[in-house]
Amino acid sequence: MTGDEREALQQPISNAARTLYLLGLRPDHDPSSGYSAPIHYKTLLTLVNDAHFQVKLGRDINELLGELITAGLVALNESQSLEQSLNGQQVMLPLAQSPKDAFQQTHGNWHAMHREWQPEDSVFEDLATLVGLIDKAYSEHELGEFIAYWLGRPQMQFSPFQWTQKFVFQLRQKRLAYGAPRQQVGLQTVTTQAGIEVDDNARQLMEKYRKKEN
């Protein structure tokens, strides 16, 4: 169980709702997707009923799911509603995913490029480090250039990880190219920061005149 789950379960929800989550939804959920196993009202009714709490209908389970949704422990997709039967359906457990699982999700959800695309921050940082990208800062122009190129290829669909990977590779290729104002660092070129650089000739002249003054 994650720390976020523990914190959410301490909110003012009923013990029946906690039982539903801990014994009915959490044990058989899919860690890679975050979805629960298909809901079976009959099984869940047996789990939550005790000497002090008795429910008999699927809508009673939906009321408990409503508590879990308010606490942030459960989420429904756009086609689902607590006003309708959820029997046989899966629900999302957003807090049950560890950071590693969240990273793995970047390999799913394939999509074409769109105007508002942004690289996945954690993936960008990791990949940039792995390929030895020294200058990790990029401009709006560089991002726009990447988006514009792939907007012209709407048939191409990739996962968030792959889109970010392509962007990192494009930046690395540009850093290996020649151009000004840039400076060489190893085999790569990086953006020259604003400032004053004094070359060897200038230093010699300064030393020459300093000696004369003395």
Side-chain angles (χ1 to χ4, degrees), residues 43-116:
T43 301
L44 296 180
L45 287 168
T46 302
L47 287 174
V48 301
N49 281 331
D50 58 31
H52 305 287
F53 186 86
Q54 293 288 320
V55 292
K56 298 181 180 181
L57 302 172
R59 64 169 174 262
D60 297 321
I61 295 295
N62 282 15
E63 289 182 9
L64 298 177
L65 287 172
E67 292 187 52
L68 297 175
I69 291 172
T70 301
L73 288 157
V74 168
L76 303 182
N77 63 41
E78 295 180 356
S79 65
Q80 294 174 323
S81 170
L82 293 178
E83 303 301 320
Q84 301 175 348
S85 173
L86 296 174
N87 201 45
Q89 300 183 39
Q90 296 171 287
V91 294
M92 172 68 77
L93 309 183
L95 301 184
Q97 294 174 280
S98 66
K100 180 180 179 181
D101 295 328
F103 183 83
Q104 289 174 342
Q105 277 201 325
T106 63
H107 290 283
N109 190 28
W110 285 37
H111 61 82
M113 180 53 63
H114 55 84
R115 289 177 59 88
E116 291 76 30

Side-chain angles (χ1 to χ4, degrees), residues 103-190:
F103 183 83
Q104 289 174 342
Q105 277 201 325
T106 63
H107 290 283
N109 190 28
W110 285 37
H111 61 82
M113 180 53 63
H114 55 84
R115 289 177 59 88
E116 291 76 30
W117 182 83
Q118 293 286 329
E120 297 285 333
D121 290 340
S122 60
V123 175
F124 178 88
E125 186 68 25
D126 288 344
L127 291 180
T129 300
L130 285 171
V131 302
L133 187 64
I134 298 171
D135 186 0
K136 297 178 184 178
Y138 57 86
S139 66
E140 290 296 323
H141 172 76
E142 288 175 313
L143 178 62
E145 183 180 48
F146 178 80
I147 293 174
Y149 176 84
W150 289 103
L151 281 176
R153 293 157 177 76
Q155 75 279 10
M156 304 301 294
Q157 295 194 9
F158 299 101
S159 69
F161 180 96
Q162 291 171 317
W163 281 123
T164 302
Q165 182 184 53
K166 288 181 179 296
F167 185 53
V168 168
F169 285 164
Q170 176 175 301
L171 290 177
R172 183 176 184 275
Q173 187 64 33
K174 293 186 68 173
R175 302 296 188 265
L176 291 169
Y178 295 100
R182 309 190 72 79
Q183 66 184 44
Q184 193 78 15
V185 178
L187 296 177
Q188 299 182 41
T189 55
V190 298

